[in-house]
Amino acid sequence: MTLTAPEPVAFDHSMPSPPAIARAILDGFNRHYSLFRYVAQQAKSRFEHGNWHEMRKSARERIDFYDQRVQEAVASVERNFDLAALDDDERDALWQAVKTSFIAMLTDHRQPECAETFFNSVCTKLLHREYFRNKFLFVRPGVSTEHMDSDPPSYRSYYPGAQGLRSALRQIAIDLGFACPWVDIEHDLRCVIRAVCEAHRNGSGGAALARPFDIEPDCQIHVLSNIFFRNKGAYVIGRFINGGRLMPFAVPILRNARGEIYLDTLLYSPDHIGTLFSFTRAYFLVDMEAPSAYVDFLRTLLPHKPASELYTMVGLQKQGKTLFFRDFLHHLRHSSDEFIVAPGIKGLVMTVFTLPSYPYVFKMIKDVIPHPKETDRETIMSKYQLVKLHDRVGRMADTWEYSHVTLPRRRCSPALIEELQDYCASGIEIDDDKVVLKHVYIERRMTPLNIFLQHATDAELEYAIYEYGNAIKELAAANIFPGDMLYKNFGVTRLDRVVFYDYDEIEYMTDTNFRRIPQARNEEDEMSGEVWYSVDKHDVFPEQFGPFLLGDPRIKAAMLKHHADLFTYAFWQQRKEHIRAGVMEDVFPYPPAMRFGQRFRRPAAARDAASARGRRS
């Protein structure tokens, strides 16, 4: 581990002690990370006992741990050190010395990059914006995490050439250390081997299974030592290396109603594994002593996915936010295009703009939100926080939320400047050189579904509508009603998945009152342009979705073919009743057709016998 050489700082020893302040901040981080790991360590037991609601609850609560510990550390520094009496020169010298002391304390630390981010979070609450420079904060990392690892190591190695493939796979299953029985692990291992053979025959297993396939001297399987948990699944993450070539893999493990576990499938396509680690899904629970080692491993599997997204996906979203902003600043220095108003239909709630060379959009809440929207800034922010905390089931985009982001004014198009001044004047500061965004959401750029549908072939349109309906149904299963289901509020990702990204009208399904349209009392009611029945704030009439969504004949045909039930009261009410009854539906982060139960079926008698063996073991 290497340290950057800090500049010498002249310091008055009559002032507050820099090492003591640094220690108070580091103690705050250490408390945070110990609690973070404790939640991840509990996940294994909760999975084994099928305690899904506690699993989801702990994942949700963990998101707030970081901000809680930051507030505690800020309060500790303010309470124990007299900072208010310092003049500017004393304050400069103090905080340079605090940073130097903090770096020295990270020499043998296993999470130095996360500790630096915590330091920044605390100091930005204690210091004025003029201190937001590398002299006082970690704008650039101060400690290298290269070659860092935990003890024991972050991954285990297995050698099919020496052990035999099946023996190596069996040892992996044993080393997972589950306390509950397997349904039939030998059958599952045969399914894994059959899936590998299929991948080899089809040429779809990545470079490690390139034809002709022979066991090379370096053939080995690397498996991350700790399991990744999310919702009702446990995931074994690893890589198969052969002849210097690498195939990534992920194996989902599920639990049945009898408490037995089984391997559900083998994911080896980078696209499928990328979807597993998508920005549209909830964060994993995984115990990591050295998180940089896990992220480095994951980057060998997903080389095109930035480290910022991987840190976020393993639950370290604040570290992901730090890395994202460093990447953004790097891109700004190495590009010259202008920020522009995002193409597409303008929304009533947000001003959205983008940098064409950068695959993200920037969203700011407008100062005045016109009719017919009935909302305000605080409500909109609460909706985005709801999405941050909720299980996004692969259908809602995660966002990064920032304050006081500075953009070079010369890089902002005149049309964007005018848009910001007209609609977001209270949220910006503009001078000759810069534009400061007081509060902004940043999320990955997608093709708006309404634009995609305009230019789609018949086959592309049908698949997009099939995905759109699946997105709504999976959100409903996760207790989310989108509110405004217009196509402009959904986007199409690089992998052709449809994702929801406009959150100002979302509600919990359980807070929504689904109703049938009452029978008209008479002919005058039927002919009237006004409704003849009362409508409360949370009332929703699924029969009314049609006029807004089915105007295009091609769209109507595809929608009624795949998702006619979305326009019925029965569908929505049934989903709501399931949620109230505590039913947690399965939403798989991979195609159901890939499941071993769909591909490699066994006779019922064999399944029953295997289950009986599993219960006795």
Side-chain angles (χ1 to χ4, degrees), residues 46-228:
R46 286 173 174 159
F47 173 83
E48 291 167 342
H49 290 88
N51 199 343
W52 311 130
H53 291 286
E54 280 301 310
M55 181 90 81
R56 179 178 281 181
K57 179 183 176 184
S58 63
R60 177 190 181 101
E61 291 175 346
R62 188 185 66 170
I63 294 172
D64 284 333
F65 281 5
Y66 185 91
D67 289 334
Q68 293 167 6
R69 303 293 85 74
V70 166
Q71 293 294 345
E72 290 173 4
V74 169
S76 173
V77 172
E78 290 179 329
R79 181 175 60 251
N80 295 314
F81 303 96
D82 184 11
L83 305 177
L86 301 177
D87 62 31
D88 289 345
D89 290 339
E90 290 172 334
R91 189 175 296 107
D92 287 1
L94 173 67
W95 286 103
Q96 287 182 69
V98 171
K99 180 183 175 183
T100 300
S101 297
F102 195 82
I103 291 173
M105 293 174 183
L106 299 181
T107 303
D108 296 314
H109 207 281
R110 294 293 173 90
Q111 309 96 34
E113 75 283 25
C114 301
E116 290 176 356
T117 290
F118 190 88
F119 181 92
N120 287 351
S121 298
V122 172
C123 292
T124 52
K125 294 186 179 299
L126 293 168
L127 299 171
H128 187 268
R129 202 165 68 208
E130 67 185 21
Y131 284 85
F132 296 3
R133 294 175 282 147
N134 197 59
K135 197 173 186 178
F136 307 101
L137 305 180
F138 292 98
V139 177
R140 298 186 300 274
V143 178
S144 171
T145 58
E146 188 176 9
H147 303 304
M148 181 173 289
D149 205 350
S150 55
D151 187 16
S154 57
Y155 65 87
R156 295 186 290 265
S157 299
Y158 303 86
Y159 302 95
Q163 297 173 265
L165 180 57
R166 182 166 299 185
S167 294
L169 295 178
R170 187 181 296 112
Q171 189 60 50
I172 292 171
I174 292 170
D175 289 344
L176 295 176
F178 281 109
C180 43
W182 295 88
V183 173
D184 186 350
I185 187 58
E186 294 301 327
H187 166 75
D188 291 350
L189 297 183
R190 287 194 296 271
C191 289
V192 170
I193 293 171
R194 289 177 66 181
V196 169
C197 292
E198 282 187 1
H200 175 55
R201 284 196 302 270
N202 299 332
S204 57
L209 294 183
R211 299 180 184 182
F213 176 64
D214 295 302
I215 296 289
E216 301 286 349
D218 70 339
C219 185
Q220 55 197 289
I221 301 173
H222 295 163
V223 176
L224 281 170
S225 298
N226 288 324
I227 304 166
F228 288 60

Side-chain angles (χ1 to χ4, degrees), residues 450-604:
N450 61 308
I451 294 177
F452 181 91
L453 294 173
Q454 290 172 10
H455 305 288
T457 65
D458 288 347
E460 290 170 339
L461 182 142
E462 181 174 350
Y463 184 74
I465 291 300
Y466 171 74
E467 268 287 290
Y468 165 81
N470 286 343
I472 292 174
K473 290 176 177 178
E474 289 172 11
L475 288 172
N479 197 21
I480 291 292
F481 177 65
D484 190 344
M485 298 197 303
L486 295 178
Y487 303 122
K488 70 182 180 67
N489 297 324
F490 292 77
V492 182
T493 72
R494 178 182 63 85
L495 298 177
D496 293 327
R497 286 180 60 80
V498 172
V499 172
F500 184 54
Y501 55 55
D502 194 323
Y503 305 140
D504 57 274
E505 291 190 21
I506 65 171
E507 299 284 352
Y508 290 119
M509 289 278 292
T510 47
D511 290 341
T512 304
N513 183 30
F514 296 103
R515 293 177 56 190
R516 292 186 176 94
I517 296 177
Q519 186 72 31
R521 296 166 299 185
N522 49 49
E523 186 176 345
E524 286 75 14
D525 282 349
E526 290 185 347
M527 301 299 295
S528 172
E530 302 294 329
V531 296
W532 59 88
Y533 45 89
S534 62
V535 180
D536 293 329
K537 181 178 179 181
H538 294 289
D539 287 350
V540 173
F541 299 87
E543 299 157 277
Q544 294 181 332
F545 295 165
F548 299 99
L549 300 176
L550 303 180
D552 184 310
R554 293 197 303 163
I555 292 175
K556 181 176 181 179
M559 188 72 79
L560 295 182
K561 176 181 177 181
H562 297 291
H563 300 296
D565 51 349
L566 288 176
F567 302 89
T568 67
Y569 162 84
F571 166 83
W572 293 97
Q573 188 61 26
Q574 183 185 60
R575 288 295 176 95
K576 179 178 173 179
E577 289 171 359
H578 281 184
I579 294 165
R580 283 184 166 170
V583 176
M584 193 167 163
E585 296 189 32
D586 293 318
V587 179
F588 299 105
Y590 42 88
M594 292 191 67
R595 303 182 66 194
F596 288 158
Q598 300 286 333
R599 298 162 63 191
F600 308 131
R601 295 186 181 277
R602 291 178 298 161

Side-chain angles (χ1 to χ4, degrees), residues 294-533:
Y294 275 69
V295 170
D296 288 346
F297 187 100
L298 292 172
R299 294 198 76 183
T300 67
L301 314 183
L302 300 165
H304 301 299
K305 193 171 281 287
S308 57
E309 289 191 15
L310 294 174
Y311 269 102
T312 299
M313 287 312 302
V314 297
L316 296 168
Q317 66 272 17
K318 296 297 183 179
Q319 183 62 21
K321 183 177 173 180
T322 293
L323 293 180
F324 173 85
F325 202 71
R326 286 174 182 164
D327 290 344
F328 173 60
L329 294 178
H330 179 83
H331 184 84
L332 276 182
R333 287 194 297 271
H334 295 84
S335 61
S336 58
D337 54 330
E338 290 186 330
F339 289 90
I340 60 171
V341 178
I345 300 173
K346 291 185 179 181
L348 297 176
V349 171
M350 294 279 197
T351 286
V352 184
F353 60 97
T354 188
L355 186 67
S357 64
Y358 203 56
Y360 295 87
V361 294
F362 301 74
K363 303 170 72 169
M364 295 188 65
I365 302 172
K366 292 182 176 180
D367 291 339
V368 177
I369 300 169
H371 184 78
K373 296 287 186 181
E374 296 180 0
T375 188
D376 54 30
R377 174 179 294 273
E378 289 70 26
T379 301
I380 294 166
M381 292 176 68
S382 72
K383 303 286 188 181
Y384 273 78
Q385 182 65 8
L386 182 158
V387 173
K388 173 68 70 176
L389 297 174
H390 202 78
D391 175 15
R392 294 183 291 283
V393 293
R395 297 299 185 176
M396 291 192 289
D398 196 9
T399 58
W400 279 303
E401 185 178 2
Y402 290 92
S403 300
H404 300 291
V405 173
T406 300
L407 307 179
R409 177 163 182 167
R410 61 183 175 78
R411 298 288 299 276
C412 298
S413 69
L416 175 58
I417 294 292
E418 181 179 357
E419 179 94 2
L420 292 174
Q421 290 175 328
D422 287 347
Y423 296 106
C424 306
S426 69
I428 60 173
E429 296 175 5
I430 299 182
D431 61 27
D432 293 339
D433 300 319
K434 62 183 181 295
V435 177
V436 177
L437 313 176
K438 296 180 182 178
H439 182 259
V440 62
Y441 295 102
I442 304 176
E443 64 187 37
R444 184 170 285 278
R445 187 169 62 220
M446 292 173 272
T447 303
L449 179 58
N450 61 308
I451 294 177
F452 181 91
L453 294 173
Q454 290 172 10
H455 305 288
T457 65
D458 288 347
E460 290 170 339
L461 182 142
E462 181 174 350
Y463 184 74
I465 291 300
Y466 171 74
E467 268 287 290
Y468 165 81
N470 286 343
I472 292 174
K473 290 176 177 178
E474 289 172 11
L475 288 172
N479 197 21
I480 291 292
F481 177 65
D484 190 344
M485 298 197 303
L486 295 178
Y487 303 122
K488 70 182 180 67
N489 297 324
F490 292 77
V492 182
T493 72
R494 178 182 63 85
L495 298 177
D496 293 327
R497 286 180 60 80
V498 172
V499 172
F500 184 54
Y501 55 55
D502 194 323
Y503 305 140
D504 57 274
E505 291 190 21
I506 65 171
E507 299 284 352
Y508 290 119
M509 289 278 292
T510 47
D511 290 341
T512 304
N513 183 30
F514 296 103
R515 293 177 56 190
R516 292 186 176 94
I517 296 177
Q519 186 72 31
R521 296 166 299 185
N522 49 49
E523 186 176 345
E524 286 75 14
D525 282 349
E526 290 185 347
M527 301 299 295
S528 172
E530 302 294 329
V531 296
W532 59 88
Y533 45 89

